[in-house]
Amino acid sequence: NGALRMSTPFLYPNGDRVDVFLEEKHGDLFTPLSLSDYGHTALYLRDAQVQLDAKDKKADILGSILSQLKVNYSDGDLSIDIQEAQLTDLSDAIFRLSQACLRISDFAAHTRLRTVNPFRDDIAGFLGSSGLKYVPDVQVRGGYQNEVKIDFQVFGKQQSSYLCVLAPTENAVHTSANEVFRKFYDIRTV
């Protein structure tokens, strides 16, 4: 569509890069360019089952973030209109938009369940009673040189396996399944 995609040094909590897109706004003489995240932050939050359009304290925090950083929010897109005079210092707009993406993506971390997973304890009990040798809370270096926390490493006669436990509640299972997929994708080459 003619937009210039720019990768920033910033990362979403799941390890994906925050990318911003610079595009011409056709038909607008006063704001010829727009910098946008093209809805990537909203997609990240949707995967974490976080509703940005809710009318609660989150909406107040969202409004505060947007006003502090002078960022617009419309139909899931975060954007900044670039005036012609601002073209010489585009880095400020890129930084503000990236910061908005990061701060808003933190909503996902605040909605996760903070309780202990009793099902995980049941799995540990099963592994122990079955005579399988295992190690809980293993740190594995992923393909992107990041540390990936795995619930269990189970040792068999010829090879070992990694085991991640999904959340036992219906509300958190989607987020938990996404996290397990992300972990195994990160370590697929290990």
Side-chain angles (χ1 to χ4, degrees):
N1 66 358
L4 174 65
R5 181 180 188 166
M6 294 178 277
S7 185
T8 71
F10 304 105
L11 301 174
Y12 286 108
N14 67 356
D16 289 347
R17 287 222 178 269
V18 174
D19 290 338
V20 295
F21 302 83
L22 184 67
E23 67 179 335
E24 283 186 298
K25 289 179 72 175
H26 299 290
D28 193 338
L29 295 174
F30 300 106
T31 54
L33 296 173
S34 176
L35 190 66
S36 172
D37 77 334
Y38 272 13
H40 287 184
T41 304
L43 288 173
Y44 169 79
L45 290 174
R46 188 179 325 148
D47 280 346
Q49 293 190 330
V50 175
Q51 303 262 339
L52 268 185
D53 298 326
K55 302 289 183 218
D56 56 5
K57 185 171 180 158
K58 229 181 332 193
D60 294 337
I61 296 170
L62 174 65
S64 175
I65 292 169
L66 295 174
S67 68
Q68 286 174 3
L69 296 170
K70 298 179 183 122
V71 173
N72 305 314
Y73 176 72
S74 176
D75 296 326
D77 287 345
L78 295 170
S79 66
I80 296 176
D81 292 330
I82 308 293
Q83 306 296 328
E84 200 161 323
Q86 296 171 311
L87 288 176
T88 57
D89 188 19
L90 194 57
S91 61
D92 176 64
I94 293 170
F95 183 77
R96 286 188 293 124
L97 182 59
S98 299
Q99 285 301 305
C101 293
L102 292 176
R103 290 182 189 179
I104 293 167
S105 69
D106 281 343
F107 286 152
H110 297 289
T111 60
R112 291 193 177 152
L113 293 178
R114 304 249 183 248
T115 59
V116 175
N117 186 346
F119 183 60
R120 188 178 185 280
D121 295 336
D122 293 342
I123 296 295
F126 169 77
L127 293 172
S129 67
S130 66
L132 292 171
K133 185 178 168 188
Y134 71 95
V135 176
D137 300 321
V138 177
Q139 295 285 335
V140 179
R141 178 144 327 258
Y144 303 102
Q145 302 306 311
N146 57 325
E147 291 292 322
V148 179
K149 184 182 175 197
I150 304 293
D151 292 330
F152 300 99
Q153 182 175 9
V154 182
F155 299 94
K157 291 181 182 177
Q158 296 180 347
Q159 68 182 28
S160 66
S161 299
Y162 295 117
L163 177 65
C164 288
V165 180
L166 290 175
T169 63
E170 189 175 321
N171 294 341
V173 74
H174 179 81
T175 301
S176 183
N178 282 341
E179 280 295 304
V180 168
F181 176 80
R182 181 194 60 78
K183 288 177 181 183
F184 281 101
Y185 186 82
D186 283 352
I187 66 170
R188 72 189 182 284
T189 58
V190 176

